[in-house]
Amino acid sequence: MDLDLAQKVLAEQPFSRLLGARVTAFGDGEATLELDIRQDLFQQYGFVHGGVVSYAADNTLTLAAATVAGPGLITSGFTIDYVRPATGEILRAHAQVVRAGRTRVVSRCDVSTVDADGNQTLCAVAQGNIAVIDSKSQAGPASTAG
């Protein structure tokens, strides 16, 4: 898989389109996903909703795994810790593979916000277990991530 295919994967996910998510980096065991922070993504206190932060971590964990395992992956579980409310201009999730096995890939992800000056602030950390559901197939983009 390459960056173009990863972007197509995201484009095939209706929820990713709704959020306006984009893959900005993809390769060598790492992936980065970004989305613009908008008011309609806030919870009642004016912070990005935890579900949006969790979405970013989930998809990025799996995208990172796809850089080493190819398509045919699905998140089998992940944990997330919110360390600071998410505010700013951009929500950025960056994940890297910790270990790639034959049937499972473990990835970790930092989710940060970026302000108007380009300063990043960590808001969540996640770790995920990604299952290889079809290691021999060159399945279409819809089978990867999320």
Side-chain angles (χ1 to χ4, degrees):
M1 263 180 67
D2 61 11
L3 179 59
D4 289 337
L5 184 55
Q7 290 169 338
K8 288 177 186 174
V9 166
L10 221 54
E12 289 188 4
Q13 297 177 359
F15 191 63
S16 293
R17 288 194 312 269
L18 176 71
L19 293 177
R22 58 195 175 270
V23 181
T24 58
F26 182 87
D28 298 324
E30 298 186 28
T32 303
L33 180 142
E34 294 182 351
L35 58 91
D36 295 328
I37 294 176
R38 318 182 305 258
Q39 193 170 27
D40 61 336
L41 302 179
F42 291 174
Q43 42 83 300
Q44 71 273 22
Y45 299 117
F47 308 127
V48 176
H49 192 283
V52 175
V53 175
S54 180
Y55 153 84
D58 178 16
N59 263 19
T60 310
L61 289 163
T62 305
L63 284 165
T67 69
V68 298
L73 305 174
I74 193 163
T75 304
S76 60
F78 76 101
T79 60
I80 188 164
D81 291 300
Y82 302 98
V83 297
R84 177 173 287 116
T87 60
E89 303 291 318
I90 295 170
L91 187 69
R92 178 179 293 152
H94 177 80
Q96 60 188 22
V97 171
V98 174
R99 182 184 183 282
R102 188 175 51 79
T103 61
R104 302 280 180 187
V105 179
V106 176
S107 303
R108 73 173 148 233
C109 181
D110 289 341
V111 183
S112 300
T113 55
V114 182
D115 68 17
D117 295 325
N119 299 311
Q120 289 192 74
T121 302
L122 183 68
C123 63
V125 293
Q127 181 167 302
N129 191 344
I130 313 306
V132 178
I133 57 174
D134 188 1
S135 63
K136 294 183 172 91
S137 168
Q138 291 301 317
S143 67
T144 307

